[in-house]
């Protein structure tokens, strides 16, 4: 039995904490999706397609959401019937089809609905703690993507426009060359529509510089 003198390992306890949060996050997602007349996978697909003007193929959608291709296909077909997504030939390969967010899908995403218990919990943390948490999550996501457990996410730390510690003095040490502006830790992106994936060597060097800062 776990006692203060004989605790489980720290990774076990962090996993326990993440598991509790994941339960609430799933409940939030179910609640929001239900109130919008969708299921959670359908809502995740709409969210994923937002800010992707070229759309995504079914395979990419399935990989990003961690679901099987048949499951992604079923959800996409249901969304298409409701008019929330559209399918168009890919610009890169006319034989391939990409799925795009439709106007009604965008309107759905803009509706306020459901609970946001996780958002409320994040709101109880002070600014420093929120920033620490964001950086910690980015580090964990990066670890997973570098092990090919998940696709590369559209995060600043994997973006070729990201320049860590270009401005070492002050609270906006990073630089985004896409918008040519300095920014700080609280503005690090996890899913940026302007992200361009850097090659692995650049990503590794960027991450090293980011951590050293
Ligand atoms: S384009 Fe987006 S992801 Fe890339 S550095 Fe700028 S803000 Fe970050």
């Amino acid at each position: 039995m776990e006692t203060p003198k004989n605790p489980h390992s720290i990774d076990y306890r962090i996993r326990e904490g993440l598991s509790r949060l994941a339960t609430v996050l799933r409940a939030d997602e179910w609640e929001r999706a239900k109130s919008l007349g969708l299921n959670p996978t359908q809502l995740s697909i709409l969210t994923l397609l937002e800010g992707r003007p070229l759309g995504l193929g079914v395979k990419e959608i399935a990989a990003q959401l961690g679901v099987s291709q048949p499951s992604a296909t079923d959800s996409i077909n249901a969304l298409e019937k409701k008019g929330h997504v559209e399918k168009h030939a890919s610009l890169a390969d006319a034989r391939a089809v990409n799925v795009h967010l439709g106007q009604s899908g965008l309107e759905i995403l803009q509706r306020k609905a459901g609970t946001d218990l996780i958002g409320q919990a994040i709101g109880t943390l002070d600014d420093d703690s929120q920033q620490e948490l964001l950086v910690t999550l980015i580090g964990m996501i990066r670890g997973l993507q570098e092990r090919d457990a998940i696709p590369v996410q559209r995060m600043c730390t994997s973006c070729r426009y990201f320049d860590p510690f270009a401005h070492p003095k002050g609270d906006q040490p990073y630089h985004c060359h896409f918008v040519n502006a300095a920014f700080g830790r609280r503005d690090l992106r996890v899913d940026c529509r302007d992200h361009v994936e850097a090659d692995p060597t650049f990503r590794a060097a960027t991450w090293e510089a980011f951590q050293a800062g």
Side-chain angles (χ1 to χ4, degrees), residues 18-31 116-119:
L18 290 173
S19 168
R20 303 299 179 274
L21 292 177
T23 302
V24 179
L25 196 54
R26 272 197 300 275
D28 269 357
E29 285 166 358
W30 267 106
E31 190 59 38
D116 184 14
L117 296 174
I118 286 290

Side-chain angles (χ1 to χ4, degrees), residues 154-156 159 161-162 175-176 178 183 189 192 194-195:
R154 301 190 301 179
M155 303 194 298
C156 291
C159 178
Y161 293 121
F162 184 53
H175 196 88
C176 170
F178 183 78
F183 65 105
R189 307 294 202 277
C192 173
D194 301 316
H195 175 273

Side-chain angles (χ1 to χ4, degrees), residues 33-194:
K34 195 171 78 177
S35 58
L36 294 171
L38 304 170
N39 68 36
T41 304
Q42 292 168 355
L43 180 56
S44 296
I45 290 172
L46 295 184
T47 305
L48 184 66
L49 292 174
E50 190 186 18
R52 285 185 160 91
L54 299 180
L56 286 176
V58 174
K59 198 171 159 192
E60 288 170 286
I61 291 173
Q64 287 285 344
L65 299 186
V67 300
S68 67
Q69 285 192 47
S71 167
T73 301
D74 286 348
S75 294
I76 290 163
N77 288 343
L79 288 168
E80 189 182 23
K81 274 190 197 140
K82 294 177 183 177
H84 298 331
V85 300
E86 297 162 6
K87 291 177 187 161
H88 299 291
S90 160
L91 289 180
D93 177 0
R95 291 163 305 173
V97 168
N98 274 2
V99 183
H100 297 250
L101 186 65
Q103 182 58 32
S104 77
L106 182 60
E107 285 165 11
I108 283 262
L109 289 179
Q110 289 166 345
R111 273 191 229 156
K112 283 206 179 309
T115 55
D116 184 14
L117 296 174
I118 286 290
Q120 290 168 26
I122 294 168
T124 64
L125 302 176
D126 64 29
D127 194 52
D128 268 358
S129 302
Q130 288 183 0
Q131 292 183 35
E132 287 290 342
L133 181 57
L134 177 61
V135 171
T136 301
L137 291 173
I138 286 171
M140 291 181 73
I141 294 167
R142 178 199 173 265
L144 289 168
Q145 72 189 16
E146 295 302 321
R147 286 174 185 78
D148 288 331
I150 57 172
V152 172
Q153 304 296 303
R154 301 190 301 179
M155 303 194 298
C156 291
T157 51
S158 61
C159 178
R160 80 168 191 220
Y161 293 121
F162 184 53
D163 194 348
F165 297 99
H167 316 283
K169 293 182 184 150
D171 58 0
Q172 295 201 310
Y174 316 130
H175 196 88
C176 170
H177 288 289
F178 183 78
V179 291
N180 193 24
F183 65 105
R185 223 165 43 147
R186 72 163 13 264
D187 292 316
L188 284 164
R189 307 294 202 277
V190 174
D191 187 29
C192 173
R193 66 181 59 199
D194 301 316

